[in-house]
């Protein structure tokens, strides 16, 4: 940082600073032991912020099968870190929009910022990044240095909108005048706001798009942010100024995304734009519908030269990195080889975490223990291959009748466990009954015969009405409820009842 510019920035009374709500959110995010209740309380102080969090939890971006009716449910859907990051995005946009510009066109500035955030999220999803909301925030704030420089150097952007629409020329103009560009200023500013290192680092490097693929997650984070600005310009600029082929090549070189994958990213952005516009109450595309832009993108990307296509094929091979393979291997170790659902080892790990979260944050956790009825007769009469096909069908039926937030695991043999996070006893009962009904209504072709395989389910809920001391007791309770279902004639779902389970245990 140029010492003179830094001193000027520190002296400026108009220097951008985070609002009180944003400062509080940053403090909460830095607490490793933060509780859900504290976050909910902080967000509920701002009704507009709470409404936005609820809306985004129910938006197509998260595609939940059940609607979040209140802030706590939204927090469960989004997760603590994602909620805090999104809340910070909303509060900072609200605060920084309120300034008075000197030379900047604020409307154009915010349209590009929001488009860049949307683009970065889509790129992050395409690269299987887990920090989608943080990538969005970093891209959203990557040009915040322009707001600061517009305050402290009032005539810096006096050339107006023409310069603002050519981002590389604008950065060169800043360097020529100040020996620094707004990316470096923005990184310094965000560091002063105590944002996480990966955020202010990505902002400071947002003009440094490395054009050689690297599978390191931190590098991918930075490159998604750096590429998001040029991608935003594809939607923002006039048709003759858009550089689809050049930007696609940058995506290929920096992230390993071929032209088809990049085209899919553009389509995802187009689909996300209406929701982003609604949440941030801004028209991002003032002149053209996203479909017209995407049509132009398809035409340009299909007319790429043979040389460029060969280059892309070479770069695609580079993208087969050891890091991505390691992630694939890690996922494979979590799955049951026959059915594709999670295995017992991962179930134990996941259940332990969910039980701790449930106990700490006082939200319910339900566990359903399921067992196929008379499965041994399938193996005995038709052979183990037929039994394997029934087990695979069982996994499909369970997936088709549970929610995306639920976790299905094969416990062993013909036994399966479904973990239902943040789910009370009544909701769990409804889901289990739906599963039982689905098995009753599903026929299996076994050789030349047709058969129906039913299922028995026991369910237990750790919550305010029934509390368990540890996760082992919760699983044991679900197993006892399953035993009750078997005793009552199978082909049914039974919730755990301490009194009934105790009676059956004495009889047994």
């Amino acid at each position: 940082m140029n010492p003179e510019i830094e001193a000027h920035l520190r002296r400026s009374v108009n220097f951008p600073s985070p609002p009180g709500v944003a400062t509080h959110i940053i403090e909460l995010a830095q607490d490793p032991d933060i509780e859900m209740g504290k976050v909910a309380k902080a967000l509920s102080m701002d009704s507009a912020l709470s409404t936005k969090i609820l809306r985004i939890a129910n938006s197509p971006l998260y595609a939940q099968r059940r609607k979040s009716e209140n802030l706590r449910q939204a927090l469960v859907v989004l997760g603590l870190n994602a909620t805090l990051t999104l809340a910070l995005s909303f509060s900072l946009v609200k605060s920084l929009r309120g300034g008075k510009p000197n030379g900047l066109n604020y409307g154009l500035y915010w349209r590009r910022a929001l488009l860049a955030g949307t683009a970065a999220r889509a790129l992050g999803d395409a690269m299987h990044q887990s920090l989608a909301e943080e990538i969005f925030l970093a891209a959203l704030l990557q040009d915040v240095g322009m707001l600061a420089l517009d305050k402290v150097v009032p005539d810096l952007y006096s050339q107006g909108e023409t310069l603002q629409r050519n981002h590389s020329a604008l950065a060169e103009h800043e360097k020529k005048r100040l020996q620094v560009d707004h990316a470096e200023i923005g990184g310094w500013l965000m560091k002063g706001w105590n944002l996480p290192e990966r955020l202010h680092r990505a902002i400071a490097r947002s003009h440094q798009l490395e054009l050689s693929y690297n599978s390191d997650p931190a590098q991918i984070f930075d490159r998604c942010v750096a590429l998001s600005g040029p991608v935003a310009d594809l939607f923002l600029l006039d048709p003759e100024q858009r550089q689809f082929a050049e930007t696609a090549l940058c995506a290929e070189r920096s992230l390993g995304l071929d032209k088809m994958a990049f085209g899919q990213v553009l389509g995802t952005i187009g689909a996300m734009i209406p929701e982003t516009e609604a949440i941030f109450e801004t028209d991002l595309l003032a002149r053209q519908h996203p479909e017209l832009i995407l049509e132009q993108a398809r035409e340009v990307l299909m007319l790429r030269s043979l040389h460029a296509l060969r280059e892309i094929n070479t770069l695609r091979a580079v993208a087969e990195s050891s890091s991505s393979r390691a992630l694939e291997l890690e996922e494979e170790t979590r799955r049951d080889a026959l059915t594709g659902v999670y295995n017992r080892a991962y179930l134990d790990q996941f259940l332990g975490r969910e039980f701790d979260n449930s106990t700490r944050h006082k939200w319910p956790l339900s566990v359903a223990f399921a067992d196929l009825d008379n499965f041994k007769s399938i193996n005995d009469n038709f052979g183990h291959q037929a039994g394997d096909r029934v087990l695979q069908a069982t996994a499909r039926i369970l997936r088709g009748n549970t929610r995306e937030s639920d976790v299905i695991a094969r416990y062993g043999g013909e036994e399966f466990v479904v973990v239902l996070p943040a789910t009370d006893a009544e909701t769990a009962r409804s889901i289990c009954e739906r599963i039982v009904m689905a098995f009753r209504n599903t026929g299996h072709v076994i050789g030349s015969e047709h058969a129906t395989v039913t299922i028995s389910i026991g369910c237990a809920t750790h919550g305010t009405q029934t509390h368990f001391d540890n996760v082992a007791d919760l699983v044991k309770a679900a197993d006892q409820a399953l035993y009750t279902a078997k005793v009552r004639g199978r082909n049914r779902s039974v919730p755990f009842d301490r009194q009934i389970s105790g009676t059956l245990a004495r009889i047994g």
Side-chain angles (χ1 to χ4, degrees):
M1 170 71 71
N2 183 306
E4 184 179 347
I5 296 297
E6 181 176 341
H8 197 173
L9 287 167
R10 291 187 185 280
R11 288 196 304 269
S12 173
V13 295
N14 294 320
F15 193 61
S17 60
V21 174
T23 301
H24 187 41
I25 292 170
I26 293 170
E27 291 172 354
L28 289 174
Q30 292 174 340
D31 182 357
D33 300 318
I34 186 63
E35 296 180 356
M36 187 74 76
K38 287 184 179 180
V39 175
K41 183 178 179 181
L43 298 183
S44 64
M45 300 295 289
D46 187 327
S47 59
L49 196 56
S50 299
T51 301
K52 288 183 184 293
I53 293 295
L54 265 173
R55 172 162 188 153
I56 202 166
N58 289 317
S59 76
L61 297 177
Y62 290 89
Q64 297 297 305
R65 293 187 186 179
R66 59 172 180 155
K67 183 178 180 181
S68 296
E69 302 288 350
N70 54 53
L71 192 56
R72 191 179 74 168
Q73 291 176 358
L75 287 169
V76 172
V77 169
L78 299 173
L80 278 173
N81 184 62
T83 301
L84 288 167
T85 303
L86 289 167
L88 185 58
S89 301
F90 298 142
S91 62
L92 287 175
V93 168
K94 180 180 178 181
S95 172
L96 295 174
R97 267 183 177 170
K100 184 179 180 181
N102 287 312
L104 282 180
N105 178 327
Y106 264 26
L108 178 59
Y109 173 90
W110 283 112
R111 289 208 307 278
R112 188 179 195 269
L114 291 167
L115 280 167
T118 305
R121 183 189 173 91
L123 287 165
D125 288 344
M127 297 302 297
H128 309 293
Q129 289 284 290
S130 59
L131 301 171
E133 291 77 18
E134 291 195 25
I135 290 176
F136 174 87
L137 179 59
L140 179 74
L141 298 177
Q142 65 181 298
D143 293 336
V144 73
M146 291 171 62
L147 300 181
L149 290 174
D150 188 52
K151 298 294 184 185
V152 300
V153 190
D155 65 336
L156 181 62
Y157 304 117
S158 59
Q159 294 184 37
E161 189 175 318
T162 302
L163 179 63
Q164 204 172 330
R165 286 183 176 275
N166 187 334
H167 206 76
S168 58
L170 182 142
E172 285 300 319
H173 170 72
E174 292 166 343
K175 284 187 175 182
K176 185 176 180 180
R177 174 87 179 267
L178 306 172
Q179 292 79 53
V180 68
D181 66 16
H182 64 266
E184 188 177 349
I185 296 289
W188 176 82
L189 176 60
M190 296 301 100
K191 186 176 182 179
W193 285 6
N194 292 319
L195 291 188
E197 181 183 356
R198 61 176 163 268
L199 291 177
H200 63 72
R201 181 199 64 214
I203 291 169
R205 298 177 179 178
S206 59
H207 292 165
Q208 302 170 21
L209 184 58
E210 298 294 334
L211 296 179
S212 58
Y213 181 75
N214 188 311
S215 62
D216 176 55
Q219 291 274 351
I220 292 175
F221 187 105
D222 291 350
R223 292 172 185 207
C224 287
V225 173
L227 188 60
S228 67
V231 173
D233 288 335
L234 298 180
F235 289 84
L236 192 63
L237 299 180
D238 294 330
E240 63 275 8
Q241 294 178 293
R242 297 178 188 139
Q243 298 181 328
F244 288 109
E246 294 83 349
T247 308
L249 194 56
C250 284
E252 177 66 33
R253 288 173 169 170
S254 63
L255 294 176
L257 293 173
D258 63 21
K259 70 166 186 174
M260 182 175 293
F262 183 67
Q264 290 173 342
V265 168
L266 295 181
T268 300
I269 296 167
M272 293 167 66
I273 282 174
E275 192 64 25
T276 305
E277 288 179 325
I279 291 171
F280 287 92
E281 300 170 355
T282 296
D283 291 328
L284 298 183
L285 302 179
R287 303 179 192 176
Q288 283 189 280
H289 193 276
E291 273 304 312
L292 298 176
I293 298 170
L294 295 174
E295 183 61 34
Q296 184 189 6
R298 282 189 288 269
E299 288 181 16
V300 172
L301 294 178
M302 288 302 293
L303 293 174
R304 296 278 300 276
S305 68
L306 183 61
H307 173 75
L309 290 175
R310 276 200 293 264
E311 186 176 357
I312 284 174
N313 288 332
T314 302
L315 289 167
R316 186 185 294 119
V318 176
E320 298 292 334
S321 65
S322 58
S323 175
S324 61
R325 181 57 185 154
L327 291 174
E328 291 173 9
L329 290 171
E330 182 182 355
E331 182 64 15
E332 286 175 10
T333 62
R334 296 176 175 179
R335 298 285 178 175
D336 174 59
L338 176 64
T339 62
V341 299
Y342 288 107
N343 57 28
R344 174 75 179 274
Y346 180 74
L347 171 69
D348 293 341
Q349 182 184 28
F350 180 81
L351 256 178
R353 288 200 309 266
E354 285 301 313
F355 187 87
D356 290 343
N357 287 335
S358 173
T359 303
R360 184 183 306 117
H361 301 301
K362 303 295 189 296
W363 64 61
L365 171 66
S366 295
V367 173
F369 213 124
D371 185 27
L372 294 177
D373 298 326
N374 301 315
F375 180 74
K376 186 174 183 297
S377 65
I378 299 289
N379 284 331
D380 291 344
N381 295 329
F382 301 101
H384 287 280
Q385 286 187 343
D388 288 348
R389 289 196 294 272
V390 170
L391 290 172
Q392 291 167 341
T394 295
R396 289 195 295 271
I397 297 170
L398 289 173
R399 279 194 294 262
N401 290 277
T402 51
R403 305 158 303 182
E404 291 186 11
S405 56
D406 303 330
V407 166
I408 305 165
R410 186 179 178 194
Y411 196 77
E414 67 271 25
E415 293 180 321
F416 292 80
V417 170
V418 181
V419 184
L420 308 161
T423 303
D424 58 28
E426 183 60 27
T427 305
R429 182 192 64 78
S430 176
I431 293 172
C432 290
E433 289 182 355
R434 183 170 71 228
I435 292 171
V436 170
M437 185 62 69
F439 275 85
R440 287 176 190 163
N441 296 331
T442 301
H444 302 271
V445 178
I446 304 176
S448 60
E449 298 189 31
H450 292 262
T452 299
V453 180
T454 59
I455 196 167
S456 298
I457 302 177
C459 187
T461 300
H462 175 61
T464 54
Q465 293 183 337
T466 305
H467 185 84
F468 297 94
D469 292 334
N470 52 62
V471 68
D473 287 348
L474 172 61
V475 174
K476 182 179 178 181
D479 192 23
Q480 289 173 343
L482 171 61
Y483 178 68
T484 304
K486 294 282 189 181
V487 169
R488 290 182 178 177
R490 300 183 174 87
N491 188 20
R492 69 192 65 229
S493 168
V494 172
F496 173 72
D497 184 295
R498 289 189 191 277
Q499 187 174 356
I500 294 175
S501 294
T503 301
L504 287 175
R506 288 193 295 274
I507 294 173

